Structures are given as C-alpha cells and as structure tokens.
Amino acid sequence: MTDTLKTISPVDGRVYVERSLETAAGIDRALDCAQRAQLAWRSLPLTARCDSLESAVDALVANASDIAAEITWQMGRPIRHSPGEVRGFEERARYMLRLAPEALAAVQPGDKPGFQRQIKRVPLGVVVVVAPWNYPYLTAVNAVLPALIAGNAVVLKHSHQTPLCAERFLEAFASAGVPVGVFQYLHLSHANTSRLMGDRRVANVCFTGSVSGGKAVVAATAAGFATAGLELGGKDPAYVRADANLAHAIESLTDGAFFNAGQSCCGIKRIYVAASRYEEFVTGVVDLTKQYRLGSPLDPETTIGPVVRTSAAEAVRSQVREAVARGASQLIDEASFAASAPGTPYLAPQVLVGVDHSMTIMREETFGPAVGIMKVASDEEAVQLMNDSKFGLTAAIFSADAERAEALGDALETGTVFLNRCDYLDPALAWTGVKNSGRGCTLSRVGFEQLTRPKSYHFRITT
C-alpha cells in the first residue's frame, strides 16, 4: 500500500506536493479527538462559534494571493481565474454565518394550553467531508463551515490533487482559536478513507465526486450507519429558445462550457437550440471559442489551462472521436491551439454538432472542455432531451419569457433551474441534485438541516 501521496502538477508534470498518508491508528486518534472536542464545541453559544469561524474566514482570505497560486499549481486553473475561488469561498462562508441564527432557531409549533413545545436543531456529532480537486475550496466550504457552525466536529479528507487546501483550512481555524480537534484533516488512501467513513463514531459523510465514488460511500457508511450527502456531478443541459437574447446566451454558455477547462459538475455539456436561431448560435459559439488562449496557467493571458491530468484529456478526446465516428462534426481545429497536444493534459476546447443521444458525449459526464449542440423544433422536444439523462444537477433556459421558463423548469428533472445564466451556486439557494447527480443538500437554510437532527421538547407544565 502506498504510504505517501504525490500531487503531480498539470502545469509541468512535476511533483508539487508530497505528504505521508495517515494510518488506521491515526484515524482512530483523530476520531477520538474529534468526539471529545465536539462535546465542548457544541456547548458553546452559537454566537461564540460564529465569531471564531468568522475570524477563520478572515485568516484564510488574507492569504488569497498565495492560495490562488497553489490552486493553479495543484490543478491547473489559469492564474487569472484562481483568485475567484477565494472570493466565492468568502461569499458562501459569510452568508452561512449570517444565516445561522435563523436557520438553527428552534421551531415553535404554536401555543397549546398547559404545554411548552419546540423542535431544536442539534448537531450530529462528527462529520466527515470528502472534497474534490476541481473547486477545492468552494466544494469543501459548502459542508465544512455549516457543519462547524451547527456544532459538529469535522474531519476533512481532501483530494490527493489538492492536499494543500486541507492544510490551509486547518491553518485558518487554528489562527482563529478554534479548539484543537474541532477541525482536522487526514491525508488517506482509498482503503483508509472507506475505513474512516465506516467508523461508528462518524455521524455523517458529505461527499463530492463521481458516481462510482458515491456508490463506494454508500457501501462504506453502511458499516457504521452514518448518513451521507452525495454530490455526484452532472451532464448539465441548456436550452436556447427562439426569444432568447442570443448574444448573452452565446457568451454565457460558452463560458459555462469551458470555464475551468470544463471541469465543473454544473458546467454546460449539451445545448439545445431553437431551429430558427441554431445557425447563428453555433456560429457565435465557435467564433468565441476560437478566441480562447490555451497555455500555461501561470501566464496571466491564458484563459484556458490544462485539465487535471493527461488521462483526463485522453478521456475527452476519446468521447470526441467516438462522436465523430458516429457522424458528428467537430468545429474547432485542435491544431489551431498550439499548446494542445496528445500525451499532455493541454487540450483545446471543442464544439460538436450533428450529435445525438446515441453518442457518449451526450450521455456520460464529460469532465473537460467539450460541448455538443443540437437543434430542436419545440419546447417540448427540448424538455424531453434535457430530461433524457441519468444525471440531474442543473439545467439552464435562455428566454425573454420568465413565466414560460418557469413552466418548463417545473417539467425538468434537476436540482436547480437557471434562467439566462448557468454554472453558478447561490448560497441562499439549496444545492442539490436528482438521479445520478446525488442526494442530500448543501447551502441555504435547507443545508443546515442535513448537518443537524431535529430534537423535540414536549413539556407539560404543572402547578
């Protein structure tokens, strides 16, 4: 069994981080420490917990420049974009801190003579967060901060691609005076991650990752009976109606497809366009895509960096080749992007037409910069195709008619419906998916419900 992790930077292929992996004995120590610390942490007033966590957010944000550079080196996002992750982290963290008094307030069911009744939200205990590399702070903060606010202890297992993020979290919490053991991280092998999730001292697991990873979480948590929230990605569609502002749709959806080199669970992967606007839309997307600059993410002029590893790039190329073999046309000449080369993680963005749902690129998750575009004859056909997927994270509609868009949204099998935007998490709204996109919820007041349990108080008042 490997006893170290090595983070291979997609920037230049060198080992950027090397860390020892924790042992089974280390897991046992961490969980004992978390249980002890959680008992004291949950007894603190909510305001005291929030004050400490607000200071931790301040501390992390103060290191934004260094953190942005680390993100770029670890997973390849262009340095011009990496600072946005810290801004997004701050937005979500501060929103959940502001929301906490309302979201965690006891539910009062109404007066009943002679009785006092309420339902309190109490912490679960020890929460394990398993976070991915593609948005290493944004995905982690969705669970880490609300879990701590609610009075839980947290053990974070971050991706081997982005281990420095876990260390930055601990550094921030320690500097803010959060008690030892309330937050910990562990660098673990797959086998020991399963061991951690299956331990009976763990009350809840928050996992973001692949469908196969989600199934592994379900199997692991069965041993200890922990609950689990699973955010498993998507094959997110967009529909451009005939009444859409086409320039806005082109700009938004091209960015939605290619930002972060297409490595986003809620990125746009398939687009359906009203027949009357199809040709103009496709031309606009192709023209805009050709303006991207692929290259070293350390270059401030780069707008699309490498995908996380060479195997990921080859998986996208394979989907494109299969689609072309089945009759699709690729509209971007990969050779026009000089940095793009087989055998490297540097991959040109790709736009495909002539696609259909028999092709893998329209069915399976594409974690890279490739998008398929189809012509549709009606709203009904668009909804049918958008729902023809085993995923259901988000869907985007571009239209001038909000009422019609809401009616279409009601028919869509997704956790979020966007109008005239895409690929964005609003912390005031529940982040959730259906079908193979997972179960459970983060963010909003609903997210706090996943990290607490209801406890009823039924007092009969006697004299």
Side-chain angles (χ1 to χ4, degrees):
M1 182 177 69
T2 303
D3 59 0
T4 61
L5 71 83
K6 293 183 179 180
T7 300
I8 307 299
S9 173
V11 176
D12 58 7
R14 71 181 174 94
V15 176
Y16 181 67
V17 181
E18 188 168 358
R19 293 288 188 271
S20 297
L21 294 177
E22 191 52 85
T23 62
I27 293 172
D28 193 57
R29 289 191 297 271
L31 290 177
D32 277 348
C33 182
Q35 279 194 313
R36 291 192 300 270
Q38 193 266 333
L39 293 175
W41 179 248
R42 75 180 186 187
S43 69
L44 292 175
L46 175 60
T47 53
R49 295 199 299 268
C50 287
D51 286 346
S52 292
L53 296 171
E54 189 86 50
S55 295
V57 173
D58 292 341
L60 194 142
V61 171
N63 290 313
S65 180
D66 290 342
I67 287 172
E70 291 169 359
I71 291 171
T72 294
W73 275 105
Q74 288 176 99
M75 53 77 62
R77 186 180 306 144
I79 194 65
R80 67 187 290 156
H81 296 151
S82 291
E85 175 132 1
V86 182
R87 292 192 294 271
F89 161 87
E90 182 178 17
E91 177 192 25
R92 295 182 194 180
R94 297 205 194 281
Y95 179 83
M96 298 305 282
L97 285 163
R98 291 195 304 271
L99 181 64
E102 172 193 342
L104 295 173
V107 176
Q108 306 295 335
D111 291 339
K112 183 177 181 180
F115 293 87
Q116 292 179 356
R117 301 175 301 160
Q118 61 179 322
I119 305 168
K120 292 185 178 181
R121 304 295 319 182
V122 300
L124 298 173
V126 177
V127 173
V128 168
V129 178
V130 182
W133 52 264
N134 61 321
Y135 284 94
Y137 289 92
L138 289 179
T139 51
V141 74
N142 292 351
V144 169
L145 255 292
L148 293 174
I149 291 168
N152 300 288
V154 169
V155 178
L156 173 63
K157 188 276 174 190
H158 221 301
S159 167
H160 287 192
Q161 195 66 39
T162 47
L164 297 184
C165 302
E167 296 173 16
R168 286 288 188 180
F169 268 109
L170 182 59
E171 179 184 274
F173 290 130
S175 71
V178 174
V180 173
V182 170
F183 174 88
Q184 300 172 82
Y185 71 81
L186 297 172
H187 297 315
L188 298 172
S189 66
H190 286 304
N192 275 337
T193 301
S194 294
R195 182 192 297 269
L196 170 67
M197 294 187 296
D199 194 286
R200 292 188 178 276
R201 287 166 289 186
V202 173
N204 175 266
V205 174
C206 298
F207 173 82
T208 304
S210 66
V211 174
S212 61
K215 291 178 179 178
V217 171
V218 172
T221 54
F225 216 50
T227 57
L230 307 173
E231 202 273 83
L232 307 180
K235 188 71 179 177
D236 289 11
Y239 172 37
V240 181
R241 297 186 76 232
D243 66 345
N245 178 326
L246 208 62
H248 174 70
I250 289 166
E251 181 179 1
S252 297
L253 291 173
T254 305
D255 181 70
F258 299 139
F259 188 82
N260 205 38
Q263 299 168 124
S264 175
C265 57
C266 60
I268 296 298
K269 300 303 178 187
R270 48 197 178 103
I271 303 173
Y272 307 97
V273 186
S276 63
R277 311 301 297 278
Y278 176 79
E279 297 296 340
E280 187 180 358
F281 178 82
V282 169
T283 297
V285 170
V286 169
D287 288 345
L288 188 53
T289 301
K290 289 178 179 178
Q291 297 175 36
Y292 276 80
R293 177 169 174 174
L294 174 68
S296 169
L298 303 174
D299 183 348
E301 298 302 312
T302 292
T303 55
I304 185 167
V307 295
V308 68
R309 59 183 64 92
T310 299
S311 60
E314 294 306 321
V316 177
R317 288 189 175 102
S318 178
Q319 286 191 351
V320 171
R321 285 195 300 269
E322 186 247 18
V324 171
R326 288 176 172 268
S329 298
Q330 55 187 86
L331 301 184
I332 304 298
D333 180 4
E334 191 169 346
S336 65
F337 287 82
S340 183
T344 77
Y346 288 85
L347 174 65
Q350 189 54 256
V351 178
L352 294 116
V353 294
V355 292
D356 61 49
H357 282 214
S358 71
M359 301 172 185
T360 303
I361 202 158
M362 297 298 283
R363 296 194 320 272
E364 300 297 333
E365 189 165 24
T366 303
F367 225 58
V371 65
I373 307 176
M374 287 180 65
K375 182 189 303 183
V376 295
S378 65
D379 288 349
E380 291 73 23
E381 183 184 10
V383 168
Q384 186 274 321
L385 289 168
M386 294 168 89
N387 283 341
D388 183 26
S389 174
K390 59 187 176 183
F391 296 100
L393 188 55
T394 81
I397 299 169
F398 284 76
S399 171
D401 188 339
E403 184 177 353
R404 180 59 178 160
E406 185 171 353
L408 296 175
D410 289 343
L412 291 173
E413 299 165 354
T414 62
T416 296
V417 179
F418 294 108
L419 175 63
N420 297 326
R421 77 174 311 171
C422 61
D423 190 24
Y424 179 78
L425 277 70
D426 184 330
L429 298 176
W431 186 245
T432 184
V434 299
K435 298 190 278 190
N436 278 11
S437 286
R439 68 187 188 198
C441 169
T442 57
L443 300 178
S444 78
R445 67 174 301 146
V446 182
F448 278 109
E449 296 174 7
Q450 314 293 303
L451 297 163
T452 56
R453 65 177 177 85
K455 184 174 183 180
S456 294
Y457 289 74
H458 191 163
F459 290 7
R460 183 169 186 168
I461 308 303
T462 59
T463 58

